[in-house]
Amino acid sequence: MANHKDISEFILNTEKMLNDIGIQIVQKTLKTMDCLVKQDNLRKEKSTVQRKADKKNIATIFGEVNYKRTYYKNKKTGEYKYLSDQRLGIDIHDRLDSSLKAKLVDEAIESSHRKSGQITVDSIYLTNQTVMNTIRELGDIANNSVNITQKRK
């Protein structure tokens, strides 16, 4: 019986390590993209650096990812953007990664909003409101999109 506990503990520790590695890979990728955008000659022609190292957090299936990015001003339009975020499909108001949103919605089909927020990612507290807002983002779904079976009497 002691071996069962040991292997279970090993598996849980491995999952945590893999999630930590996932967070590190995502952080490194975000940092690399920010550097690539900053060094891009075409970007230099079109926009100027306004601020460096603005902090951002985004919840992912691995856990909370914290990173820094550069804020730019377009020389012609005067528009401000985080160009690295834009290239990676991260909206300025995003707090949750799309894959985490999908997992939340999928879990909410089987569980309560509160429970699906707890189950989806162990290391992040996601409220019922966060789950509900994520579901509402989907908008209306056509009735014929879901296959519903009738119960027998």
Side-chain angles (χ1 to χ4, degrees):
M1 193 71 168
N3 288 342
H4 177 70
K5 185 177 180 182
D6 292 341
I7 191 66
S8 295
E9 188 176 328
F10 170 75
I11 290 168
L12 291 172
N13 288 336
T14 302
E15 179 184 30
K16 183 178 178 346
M17 281 191 312
L18 291 172
N19 285 337
D20 290 344
I21 291 167
I23 289 170
Q24 291 172 20
I25 290 170
V26 172
Q27 286 172 328
K28 183 70 173 169
T29 301
L30 293 167
K31 183 177 181 177
T32 300
M33 178 57 77
D34 193 58
C35 289
L36 289 172
V37 170
K38 197 180 292 181
Q39 295 169 0
D40 183 36
N41 289 328
L42 184 59
R43 192 276 314 153
K44 289 177 183 178
E45 290 175 19
K46 294 184 177 187
S47 60
T48 58
V49 173
Q50 286 301 118
R51 290 192 310 264
K52 299 177 186 176
D54 282 1
K55 294 179 182 178
K56 171 121 174 137
N57 303 332
I58 190 161
T60 71
I61 58 174
F62 303 120
E64 192 81 27
V65 173
N66 305 304
Y67 67 102
K68 296 177 183 172
R69 68 251 170 95
T70 306
Y71 198 50
Y72 298 95
K73 180 180 180 182
N74 186 297
K75 290 178 180 179
K76 287 185 181 177
T77 65
E79 188 176 38
Y80 294 90
K81 288 186 181 179
Y82 293 101
L83 296 176
S84 60
D85 281 1
Q86 184 180 13
R87 288 190 184 175
L88 292 168
I90 301 171
D91 187 63
I92 193 161
H93 301 293
D94 281 348
R95 299 289 174 249
L96 303 175
D97 167 56
S98 296
S99 61
L100 176 58
K101 289 179 183 180
K103 197 172 176 183
L104 269 177
V105 171
D106 194 43
E107 190 59 47
I109 293 169
E110 302 295 326
S111 307
S112 69
H113 292 158
R114 184 176 58 83
K115 194 171 185 179
S116 62
Q118 292 171 341
I119 293 170
T120 305
V121 182
D122 290 336
S123 61
I124 303 172
Y125 175 71
L126 299 170
T127 65
N128 349 355
Q129 187 68 44
T130 300
V131 177
M132 188 172 66
N133 291 345
T134 302
I135 293 168
R136 286 183 176 166
E137 270 183 43
L138 291 174
D140 294 335
I141 299 173
N143 282 338
N144 60 357
S145 297
V146 180
N147 189 12
I148 301 172
T149 57
Q150 293 183 353
K151 294 181 182 178
R152 291 185 181 172
K153 292 184 181 179

